[in-house]
Amino acid sequence: MIRFIIVATAVVLYLILLIPLALVALIMGLISPHARDMLGYYIVKVGFNAALFLSGVRATVIGFDKIPRDSAVLYVGNHRSFYDVIFTGAKFFSPGGYIAKKELGNIPLLSWWMAYIHCKFLDRSDMKAGLKMVLESAEDIKNGISMVIFPEGTRNKGEEGTLLPFRKGSLKIAEKAGCPIVPIAISNSQEIFEAHFPKIISTHIVVEYCDPIYTKELSREELKGLSDRVRDTILDKLKEHKEKNIY
């Protein structure tokens, strides 16, 4: 419980202290959107790394060298914890945003920085808004901003090594952008917080970046099976992590 209080207090203080920089970022965006993006990227990266340190998260990272360096990508991961977002954001080596549920866009201060790193807030009940989000995200990727999506749509509370079904159309962003997809398999992250709520427990997690899938090289038929291919890739890695008991 003490660790939770420390982390929560640190996050709130960090966001409050950053209010002047958030206003600077707003002005920078009018002059140089790229400069604003880079400021947002570093602010979020520092905050996420600090949260991981204070939470005592230890990680085995596999396949980080597989991430393409010559273009933005769509990261596709499984989702069992809030810390899935924190860890992936902490390891960005270039600007990147998230596809997030619309409720996060209502959180003061946090939503500012999410917007500055090109996060998109998805309203699943509005198909028209969903299509607009896909097109905007694809455009960001074309402009060098990687995106992260958790296509299960919610945190999976089932047994470790399992996946919920992917939401229909969740990978359309990659098809529209013609960008590589990098599947991410994350194991044991729920043990940091969700499995012990409200305690935060020092935990070892495994994060594996899988071989990228180059959408431009896929046939029309292969694109139809893209969602199943990505899901199967992640599921195989999660099962492998569990069988080898590496976390």
Side-chain angles (χ1 to χ4, degrees):
M1 190 65 178
I2 294 176
R3 194 187 295 270
F4 172 79
I5 294 172
I6 291 173
V7 173
T9 302
V11 169
V12 172
L13 288 176
Y14 188 65
L15 290 172
I16 291 173
L17 291 172
L18 286 174
I19 290 176
L21 268 181
L23 299 175
V24 170
L26 180 63
I27 296 171
M28 288 175 65
L30 301 175
I31 303 170
S32 173
H34 176 70
R36 178 205 57 204
D37 291 348
M38 294 306 297
L39 175 62
Y41 158 66
Y42 283 114
I43 290 295
V44 171
K45 191 178 179 74
V46 168
F48 281 172
N49 274 290
L52 290 174
F53 174 76
L54 293 174
S55 300
V57 176
R58 294 164 288 112
T60 294
V61 180
I62 304 169
F64 193 71
D65 58 321
K66 295 179 179 179
I67 302 173
R69 301 297 201 268
D70 56 352
S71 69
V73 305
L74 178 67
Y75 295 100
V76 181
N78 62 302
H79 194 25
R80 301 184 63 85
S81 171
F82 291 120
Y83 277 84
D84 300 331
V85 175
I86 295 173
F87 185 86
T88 52
K91 299 306 174 184
F92 279 148
F93 53 80
S94 61
Y98 291 82
I99 307 300
K101 57 185 180 181
K102 67 175 183 177
E103 289 78 9
L104 291 177
N106 299 323
I107 300 177
L109 304 183
L110 176 63
S111 60
W112 292 1
W113 292 105
M114 291 182 71
Y116 289 156
I117 64 169
H118 293 259
C119 288
K120 302 293 184 294
F121 302 106
L122 177 61
D123 181 356
R124 298 191 186 97
S125 64
D126 189 337
M127 291 184 62
K128 188 175 181 180
L131 176 59
K132 181 181 179 184
M133 180 276 296
V134 168
L135 296 176
E136 289 179 348
S137 299
E139 194 61 31
D140 280 343
I141 291 176
K142 291 177 182 178
N143 290 328
I145 308 293
S146 293
M147 300 295 294
V148 183
I149 188 169
F150 301 105
E152 291 169 283
T154 188
R155 281 174 289 135
N156 179 8
K157 299 177 183 179
E159 183 182 353
E160 186 69 57
T162 64
L163 267 179
L164 298 175
F166 279 10
R167 291 186 176 272
K168 186 177 180 181
S170 56
L171 303 186
K172 286 292 183 183
I173 295 169
E175 292 184 42
K176 295 292 184 183
C179 69
I181 291 175
V182 176
I184 311 175
I186 307 171
S187 292
N188 209 40
S189 59
Q190 80 283 352
E191 291 296 325
I192 304 169
F193 179 60
E194 282 77 4
H196 311 282
F197 180 84
K199 295 181 180 179
I200 292 177
I201 305 296
S202 179
T203 302
H204 176 238
I205 66 174
V206 177
V207 181
E208 182 160 0
Y209 295 86
C210 307
D211 291 325
I213 300 171
Y214 293 90
T215 56
K216 287 184 177 180
E217 298 176 1
L218 301 181
S219 66
R220 183 173 298 181
E221 197 62 33
E222 288 172 323
L223 285 172
K224 289 181 181 179
L226 182 58
S227 182
D228 288 339
R229 176 178 172 181
V230 174
R231 187 177 185 278
D232 289 345
T233 297
I234 295 173
L235 189 57
D236 287 345
K237 291 299 182 182
L238 293 176
K239 290 179 178 178
E240 184 179 314
H241 295 171
K242 186 175 181 180
E243 289 169 359
K244 291 182 177 179
N245 193 28
I246 59 176
Y247 47 81

